[in-house]
Amino acid sequence: MGMRPATGLPSLSRRSRVLLVTALVLAALLLVGPRLTDAYTNWLWFGEVGFRGVYHTVLLTRILLFLVVTLVVAAIIWLALLLAYRSRPVFVPVSGPGDPIARYRTTAMSHLRLFGLGIPLLIGVLSGLVAQSSWVTVQLFLHGGSFGVKDPQFNLDVGFYAFDLPFYRMVLNWLFVAVVIAFFANLVTHYVFGGVRLSGREGTLSTAARVQLAVLAGMFVLLKAIAYWFDRYALLSSTRKEPTFTGGSYTDINAVLPAKLILLSIAVICALAFFAGVVLRDLRIPAMAAALLVLSSVLVGAVWPLLVEQFSVRPNAADKESAYIERNIEATRAAYGITSDKVEYVDYKGVAQKDPVSLPADRSTIENIRLLDPNLLQPTFIQRNLQLRNFYGFPDPLDIDRYTINGETADYIVAARELQPQNLADNQKDWINQHTVYTHGNGFVASPANKVNVAPPTDPSKAAQTDSGGGGYGYPVFDVPGPNGTTLKTVSDLGTPEAEQAIKVTQPRIYYGELISKSDADYAIVGGNNQAPREYDTDTSQYTYTGAGGVPIGNWFNRFAFAAKYAERNILFSGAIGPDSKIIFNRNPRERVEHVAPWLTPDGDTYPAVVDGRIVWIVDAYTTLDNFPYAQRTSLDGVIEDSIDQTTGRLLPRKEVSYIRNSVKATVDAYDGTVKLYEVDKNDPVLQAWMGVFPGAVTPESEISADLRAHFRYPEDLFKVQREMLAKYHVDDPREFFTNNAFWSVSNDPTQEGAAAGAHQPPYYVLLGDPKTGKPSFNLTSVMVGYKRNFLSAYIQAASDPENYGKLTVYKLPVDSQTPGPGQTQTSMTTSDEVSRDRNLLTGGNVNKIRYGNLLTLPVGDGGILYIEPWYLERNTGGTNAPSYPQLVKVLASYRDKVGYGSTVEEALNKVLPGSGSAATTQPNQQGTTPPNQGTTPPDQGGAVTPPTVGKDAAVKQIDDALRAVTDAQKSGDLGALGKALEQLQTAVDAYEKAGG
């Protein structure tokens, strides 16, 4: 009976091979073509912004890492295959006519290069593609330095954990991958070519197979021994005790750490046993060693630490973990920038010790109480902005910044008036119009945060009446008093002469912004090309872009590249594109910073500012680590998300960190897109490492202009992370830390309804009077309540002014304080009889809607807490989808057990702190209020506070406010308002005379 010869793979016809090759080429073009197009257009873009060195460095690092890992992994696998093939037995018995192994053997023999080179290369390429994403690890290893701080366990510099250890573990992981795959590749090759036979009960191994497999197994176990060594260091970032604390616990240091050393020793012995298999025919010794390693891993590596945890630590957890909690406290404070040199703790009684009216700082605070809520007033900004067209818009929410105008510093609600592509309608959506005509926004808009156009009526029934055409009340104003009795506009655009601008802007056109980039195809094509101006500028003029931004597309190669990038044939064939044309893309300021600095994590709130006459976007950016030893690890998206994010859908960073610094402030010019990265923390080792990776990418701090520095704000995302850390890490005693009794919590936002009701209250930017100078200072503030309690526990503020930027002040209330928190205050204010009654009148039986503004918390009276909340009325102007424009209608105040309620801050304050309303900013048409003759309630602790009287300085301020009201009334042409303003002026003059003036 003859034996049927083994056959290989069926051969393909010439036509089939041609079709197969053609299909593979097309598939490769479809896969690689878009990537090549993106690579080329990105190269052009990085050249435009002046960061091509960043692009080259990242690309070169990725390519080199890809090649190294590909070659190393492929070489190890190839060597394993080669040795197995060359040491194959000469004669291989066949088990029968249907032996499948013989068929595979014949196929492999007939395609040696395909299997011998193709398989290692394929696995190597796949490994390289995965490994190239670790370019950050490689660059930090090459350029990382010292932190100057050593860990408490191994006495190694933190730089080892931040820069070196991740690289060592990455190398080790890829060696594991290569050796494991090589082992199985060698085993399969020996099996196919007869070096390994499974016939019989035990099977047989050729000498070559035994030697090679033993060496590979020994290499694997030896790598495991090295891994045990590095695992020791990873214990300092252990998560065993989370959420209590991160880092090595008692069990980790006293059980797991010795276990790692024991397992390391056993692994080395096991590796030697496998290497001994090279000369010994008996494989039982390596097998016994492997069994010992597995058994030891279970008993020593898992069971022993579990027993220590259960029977030694848990019954005495507070004592056992005390030393390790202390390590965690120290490391976390250092990692998150909340050490004692950066945070000042102040004991705060929660009850006023002094009369707020008598303190210059408190008068400054009251004068600058913010009435406008940037989270609610975006529709109102649109409606009140006179030159707005359907294609313009403002970001939601608006932003807050401070400006000094005519010698007075005040905070302003600010926004850039951007082009909003989603608002284009009908023929405006035509490709030519959308991408070559409607290309830019127009102007910077600001409104004083403590003023409205007209004070709301005191009678709620009148306030609830629908606005007439006269402009209404409670709306933002867009002008401020100028020098010599003039009025300056706070809208700086093409329609406002520079001489009339309060905030002078030399180039108001906005080509880069948050809204303009929100389109399916984020690009605009600009350039003259010897044609008439095409871009819409105003209703009577067109414009041709003259800035430095944009990538030239005058040549056909670039036109083809961008036509392919955006899948748009009009880029190729449009006559609007000529030799001078440029394409502006990547127009979102935050994303531009992300592109030029991929090693930074940008803050979620980008805000516009006028700096040296130009509109720029300021982006705060962070350096982060996820492996700072013993520092608490936290998820950024979890601690950053608040009630505003719930309603706006703002993008949150999805990453875990154990170290964060706001080391870079970035600016993006709104006209030409220029990106600048400024160093603001010279002591950050992570930033120094990245400056070594990308020399010249970060501008030294010395080049920050005074005007730019004046608009730096303490970043919100960093503040949210720090307040979350301070909620626990203000505690010094590790035993008290373990009990959680002294912890704080971030208050929920009581002004929200629906899904956002349970979200954290956002921090608020406010102007607070400086206790030393009495002048207003710009701060980011937040309140903290007790752990699972509603009473106020602390008040945190972060300074933003240049002279004390970054200073954190924590006002700590007594543990037994009964000062109400935001939730309790909101309840007491909204449920008072007068408020409830007036709310029903204002809403008109739920026809209109009351919107709660920011519930601001202000420290006053050297120990007291004052709450202020503006109320806004949203009128139902007809239909469910009809636009509504929130307008200020009432102001609520709360101080201790009192609730103040009125149409103005002055009226509300005088009901809770009689006389303090005199310090508030007077609103146009504001009706005079007489403080009730009851005085301020005496504090629970300390002496009585005497009833305040209107002094000469206060009377002068009232005269100034009255004169301003007269001026506003004259300009508005409202005779009724003018009469009231004159009466107010006479009252102020009389008060001045009574005060001895």
Side-chain angles (χ1 to χ4, degrees), residues 448-478:
N450 62 344
K451 297 179 182 178
V452 292
N453 63 332
V454 175
T458 56
D459 187 347
S461 60
K462 293 182 179 179
Q465 293 175 2
T466 305
D467 280 348
S468 63
Y473 64 83
Y475 288 118
V477 296
F478 299 99

Side-chain angles (χ1 to χ4, degrees), residues 74 77-78 81 113-125 181 185:
I77 297 172
W78 171 80
L81 290 174
R113 289 188 177 181
L114 176 63
F115 287 99
L117 295 177
I119 290 177
L121 194 58
L122 176 63
I123 296 174
V125 167
I181 296 177

Side-chain angles (χ1 to χ4, degrees), residues 34-60 63 550-552 555 557-558 561-562 565-566 583 585-586 592 595-596:
R35 294 183 180 274
L36 291 177
T37 300
D38 284 341
Y40 176 66
T41 55
N42 286 338
W43 181 79
L44 293 174
W45 183 84
F46 274 91
E48 172 217 333
V49 294
F51 284 84
R52 191 165 282 168
V54 172
Y55 183 82
H56 288 161
T57 300
V58 173
L59 182 62
L60 183 61
I63 291 175
V551 172
N555 63 75
F557 189 82
N558 284 3
F562 283 99
K565 178 182 179 69
Y566 293 109
I583 183 168
F585 63 108
N586 289 346
R592 289 177 79 82
H595 289 328
V596 303

Side-chain angles (χ1 to χ4, degrees), residues 826-967:
Q826 180 74 5
T827 300
S828 65
M829 290 195 304
T830 56
T831 57
S832 69
D833 293 338
E834 182 184 9
V835 174
S836 299
R837 181 178 63 253
D838 283 6
R839 181 168 51 188
N840 292 332
L841 292 173
L842 291 169
T843 56
N846 294 326
V847 174
N848 302 323
K849 183 178 181 180
I850 291 292
R851 298 288 299 273
Y852 302 134
N854 295 155
L855 179 57
L856 302 178
T857 309
L858 307 172
V860 295
D862 190 21
I865 294 293
L866 172 66
Y867 289 97
I868 295 289
E869 178 178 299
W871 273 16
Y872 300 91
L873 184 65
E874 271 192 356
R875 301 180 184 279
N876 186 346
T877 56
T880 304
N881 298 321
S884 60
Y885 311 110
Q887 61 187 122
L888 181 73
V889 66
K890 291 293 180 182
V891 178
L892 283 79
S894 177
Y895 180 74
R896 296 184 63 185
D897 57 345
K898 297 179 182 178
V899 173
Y901 175 71
S903 299
T904 62
V905 172
E906 178 179 351
E907 184 180 353
L909 281 182
N910 280 334
K911 293 181 179 179
V912 294
L913 284 168
S916 63
S918 63
T921 298
T922 303
Q923 307 300 327
N925 287 4
Q926 176 175 324
Q927 298 183 13
T929 57
T930 303
N933 187 21
Q934 59 187 39
T936 304
T937 302
D940 291 339
Q941 301 175 10
V945 179
T946 58
T949 59
V950 179
K952 188 181 296 185
D953 292 339
V956 170
K957 184 182 182 305
Q958 289 181 358
I959 292 176
D960 290 339
D961 293 338
L963 288 172
R964 192 177 298 120
V966 171
T967 302

Side-chain angles (χ1 to χ4, degrees), residues 251-313:
T251 301
D252 291 316
I253 301 303
N254 294 280
V256 178
L257 181 58
K260 295 292 183 183
L261 293 174
I262 294 172
L263 291 174
L264 184 153
S265 304
I266 296 174
V268 171
I269 295 172
C270 184
L272 294 175
F274 275 107
F275 292 141
V278 173
V279 295
L280 300 176
R281 289 182 172 273
D282 192 353
L283 293 179
R284 286 179 296 179
I285 294 178
M288 291 172 61
L292 175 63
L293 180 61
V294 172
L295 183 61
S296 301
S297 299
V298 174
L299 294 179
V300 179
V303 175
W304 169 242
L306 181 63
L307 293 175
V308 171
E309 179 71 21
Q310 291 291 337
F311 299 104
S312 178
V313 176

